[in-house]
């Protein structure tokens, strides 16, 4: 529309120029050039404004998209906030319950802690008692080995097993073959053992008779290896009592026959090892049970 207006204006000017002087024509041409330049400038401004409008329109669209995204995030945040509020409320209720329970059981917990401390001291006392017992056993073993040191190791064996002292004496040192009659060396050996045991009057012990697996020839008031093992044990405790003043309340006599061998009975050497008299230093169970009793 604007182009038609300018074209008509130019044609009208040209028709007029035909009737005007050259000076007026030049002036009109100059004016036309100015108008044409102004028009071009306006067109440029129009395009710039149009571009800016499109940019603004795009920005508005982006802002609307961002707004929708923010609104969606806000909705999610609100949901999470509600969940946190509910969780906090639940935790607070649980803490209230816990505080009530803790308050009600505080005294019980305190007593439990005291009991733990007492048990710890109790265990320390037991450990100390066990350590003292082990020390006494070791001293006893050393004393026995000292008085019996000149004996053959094959004939006398002294050991500690699981806190118990064992003294094994070969039957050839104490008894005649297949009999409970003692040898000439028996009193010498038993006298040395009695010397150590009498120095520890609180110690109780058991004398066990052991045989090999060869059946006993009946006679002399004995039926089998049970009889032989028992009579050998009672012979030893009688000698300790009558000859060396051992308190009979400290002694127990027992026969084990052939059923607790140290080694295989299929060889002569093995059978000789199994034929023995064993002195077992008994644990002082009454003192041990006193340790186990709860202290008031």
């Amino acid at each position: 529309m604007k182009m038609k207006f300018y074209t008509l204006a130019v044609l009208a000017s040209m028709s007029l120029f035909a009737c005007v002087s050259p000076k007026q024509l030049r002036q009109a041409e100059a004016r036309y050039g100015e108008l044409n330049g102004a028009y071009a400038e306006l067109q440029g401004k129009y395009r710039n404004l149009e571009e800016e409008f499109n940019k603004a329109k795009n920005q508005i669209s982006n802002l609307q998209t961002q707004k929708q995204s923010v609104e969606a995030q806000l909705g999610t945040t609100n949901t999470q906030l509600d969940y946190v509020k509910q969780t906090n409320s639940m935790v607070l209720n649980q803490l209230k319950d816990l505080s009530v329970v803790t308050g009600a059981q505080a005294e019980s917990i305190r007593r439990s802690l005291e009991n733990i401390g007492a048990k710890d001291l109790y265990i320390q006392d037991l450990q100390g008692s066990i350590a003292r017992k082990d020390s006494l056993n070791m001293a006893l073993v050393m004393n026995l080995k000292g008085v019996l040191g000149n004996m053959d190791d094959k004939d006398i064996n002294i050991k500690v097993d699981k806190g118990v002292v064992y003294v094994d004496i070969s039957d050839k040192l104490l008894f005649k073959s297949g009999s409970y009659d003692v040898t000439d060396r028996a009193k010498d050996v038993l006298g040395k053992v009695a010397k150590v045991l009498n120095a520890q009057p609180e110690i109780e012990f058991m004398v066990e008779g052991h045989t090999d697996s060869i059946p006993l020839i009946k006679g002399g008031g004995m039926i089998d290896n049970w009889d032989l093992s028992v009579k050998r044990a009672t012979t030893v405790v009688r000698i300790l009592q009558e000859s060396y003043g051992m308190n009979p309340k400290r002694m127990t006599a027992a026969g084990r026959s052939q059923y607790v061998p140290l080694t295989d009975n299929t060889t002569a050497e093995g059978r000789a090892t199994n034929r023995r008299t064993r002195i077992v230093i008994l644990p002082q169970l009454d003192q041990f049970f006193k340790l186990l009793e709860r202290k008031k």
Side-chain angles (χ1 to χ4, degrees), residues 21 35 44 69 205 261:
S21 64
L35 293 172
S69 176
F205 58 93

Side-chain angles (χ1 to χ4, degrees), residues 70-84:
V70 169
E71 289 176 346
Q73 292 177 0
L74 182 60
T76 302
T77 302
N78 288 333
T79 302
Q80 293 175 349
L81 182 60
D82 291 338
Y83 174 76
V84 170

Side-chain angles (χ1 to χ4, degrees), residues 118-250:
K119 287 179 180 178
D120 184 55
L121 293 175
Y122 175 60
I123 291 171
Q124 291 179 14
D125 289 342
L126 282 179
Q127 290 174 338
S129 299
I130 292 172
R132 289 193 296 272
K133 178 178 178 298
D134 290 341
S135 298
L136 290 174
N137 284 344
M138 187 56 63
L140 182 61
V141 169
M142 297 303 296
N143 290 337
L144 287 169
K145 286 187 176 182
V147 298
L148 299 172
N150 60 338
M151 300 292 180
D152 192 336
D153 288 342
K154 292 183 179 179
D155 295 331
I156 293 182
N157 181 34
I158 304 171
K159 67 177 181 178
V160 179
D161 185 16
K162 298 179 180 178
V164 179
V165 178
Y166 297 96
V167 182
D168 287 329
I169 306 174
S170 171
D171 72 325
K172 70 180 182 180
L173 284 180
L174 299 181
F175 301 103
K176 298 175 182 179
S177 178
S179 170
Y180 57 91
D181 294 331
V182 296
T183 65
D184 295 336
R185 298 183 63 188
K187 288 191 176 182
D188 179 39
V189 174
L190 294 177
K192 291 179 178 181
V193 173
K195 181 179 180 180
V196 175
L197 295 179
N198 276 328
Q200 303 287 340
E202 75 283 357
I203 289 178
E204 296 182 0
F205 58 93
M206 177 184 294
V207 178
E208 295 180 345
H210 295 261
T211 69
D212 58 26
S213 59
I214 295 178
L216 178 70
I217 298 175
K218 295 181 180 181
M222 294 182 295
I223 300 175
D224 53 20
N225 283 330
W226 278 114
D227 277 350
L228 177 60
S229 64
V230 170
K231 290 184 180 298
R232 283 183 169 180
T234 55
T235 297
V236 170
V237 297
R238 285 194 185 98
I239 292 174
L240 292 175
Q241 176 185 356
E242 296 171 0
S243 300
Y244 301 105
M246 192 76 67
N247 187 344
K249 293 180 180 180
R250 300 171 55 192

